[in-house]
Amino acid sequence: MDVRADSWYVVGDVHGHREALADALRDAKLIDHTDDWCGGEAHLWFLGDFVDRGPDGVGVIDLVMRLNRQAAEAGGSVQTLLGNHEILLLGMHHFGDAEVPRILDGFGPRSFARSWQINGGQPDDQEELTDEHVEWLSTRPLVAHAADHLLLHSDTLEYLAWGNDVEEINETVGQILAGEDLADWWDVWRRMTTRYAFRGARGPRAAAEVLAKLGGDRIVHGHSVIADQLGIHPTQVEAPFLYADGRVLGVDGGLFAGGPCLVVALPWEPED
């Protein structure tokens, strides 16, 4: 695979598997044998979920932060969206086992600590998390555009609860993450855990409505494992999943469950 200056790539959920991510980026000729950026003026977007379920979530964050600096110096870019597991990581860091008001969802007890524990939270990630990590993650966007695509972490309509365009959504959630309101933080986590908005008979219409409102020709998302969408084992995943009448591209290969770490060039089309 040759890397051109105008090339765009996306990577889905990594979930603590730093070495598999590095291998995939080397195969794509975006990093070298020392794990430094060699992609020149190419552009790389991560769709979130660096942490939980795998052995080295903070190692993944450190790698991406370094590539963010190196790519910018080379005239390229490495950026990331926040996934629901970054919200969980940060919520655990800020609020621990503080109980969430039950009025939010009618269930209880709820806390970031409990959700973190049952969703693959790794103690080492919390121990190794620094103020620099927290500040950097807290200022990442939830939604972005790249190469005429709309990038989301989650395949959900819940983003629209925070605004009518990309800028408003990012600004609204950015203000929440800069604050200390447990209920507001929990609402971000809760909404971002939802999925499958673009499946089934209504999926194409839902995708078209989101694209009309937020812009872009196609949605690209992580969060929902391709194998679960197709009813196969993650080890059988070989490519992204294009669905909803071609309006949506899923790129989560299910790395934590034995699937591949997909580095997907945009635009992507299935092979004939």
Side-chain angles (χ1 to χ4, degrees):
M1 181 190 303
D2 294 326
V3 178
R4 293 173 11 202
D6 59 347
S7 297
W8 293 83
Y9 301 87
V10 292
V11 175
D13 306 35
V14 180
H15 283 302
H17 289 80
R18 184 204 181 282
E19 297 311 312
L21 169 63
D23 287 344
L25 293 177
R26 276 192 292 272
D27 288 344
K29 299 182 181 179
L30 293 171
I31 67 173
D32 62 20
H33 69 283
T34 61
D35 292 353
D36 290 315
W37 180 254
C38 67
E41 298 178 6
H43 307 278
L44 171 63
W45 272 94
F46 290 90
L47 302 186
D49 277 11
F50 293 141
V51 297
D52 301 338
R53 299 177 176 161
D56 194 9
V58 170
V60 174
I61 296 170
D62 283 334
L63 175 60
V64 175
M65 289 178 68
R66 188 172 83 244
L67 296 178
N68 171 261
R69 295 189 296 268
Q70 292 176 342
E73 292 170 356
S77 65
V78 172
Q79 304 290 343
T80 186
L81 302 179
L82 284 174
N84 58 303
H85 282 266
E86 279 73 55
I87 303 299
L88 186 57
L89 176 83
L90 295 169
M92 173 63 180
H93 174 78
H94 289 302
F95 302 107
D97 60 4
E99 187 169 331
V100 177
R102 296 190 183 192
I103 193 172
L104 289 179
D105 54 19
F107 298 97
R110 291 286 189 269
S111 70
F112 273 106
R114 184 173 183 273
S115 287
W116 176 77
Q117 290 167 352
I118 65 178
N119 284 281
Q122 303 294 306
D124 285 349
D125 287 345
Q126 288 292 331
E127 292 173 6
E128 295 171 9
L129 199 64
T130 67
D131 290 344
E132 183 182 6
H133 294 134
V134 171
E135 180 180 0
W136 189 78
L137 288 172
S138 299
T139 55
R140 298 307 96 188
L142 258 69
V143 186
H145 290 118
D148 298 321
H149 292 67
L150 176 66
L151 307 185
L152 310 174
H153 172 70
S154 305
D155 46 327
T156 180
L157 304 180
E158 295 292 335
Y159 292 99
L160 301 178
W162 296 308
N164 294 312
D165 56 42
V166 167
E167 292 74 18
E168 186 179 4
I169 292 169
N170 289 332
E171 181 179 356
T172 299
V173 176
Q175 290 175 352
I176 292 171
L177 300 187
E180 300 178 353
D181 189 308
L182 171 57
D184 286 346
W185 271 78
W186 184 262
D187 190 54
V188 176
W189 155 249
R190 179 183 63 82
R191 290 181 185 277
M192 289 190 66
T193 60
T194 60
R195 65 180 78 236
Y196 298 148
F198 310 122
R199 288 176 60 172
R202 273 209 84 251
R205 180 179 174 184
E209 290 171 355
V210 171
L211 290 167
K213 196 161 198 176
L214 301 184
D217 296 332
R218 176 181 287 169
I219 294 167
V220 183
H221 71 83
H223 190 52
S224 293
V225 177
I226 294 167
D228 294 339
Q229 301 261 51
L230 296 176
I232 62 176
H233 193 275
T235 57
Q236 296 175 278
V237 173
E238 297 180 349
F241 176 45
L242 186 63
Y243 66 109
D245 291 348
R247 295 186 175 99
V248 183
L249 186 69
V251 299
D252 181 0
L255 180 56
F256 74 94
C261 181
L262 298 175
V263 180
V264 181
L266 298 180
W268 184 88
E269 298 294 341
E271 296 181 358
D272 295 332

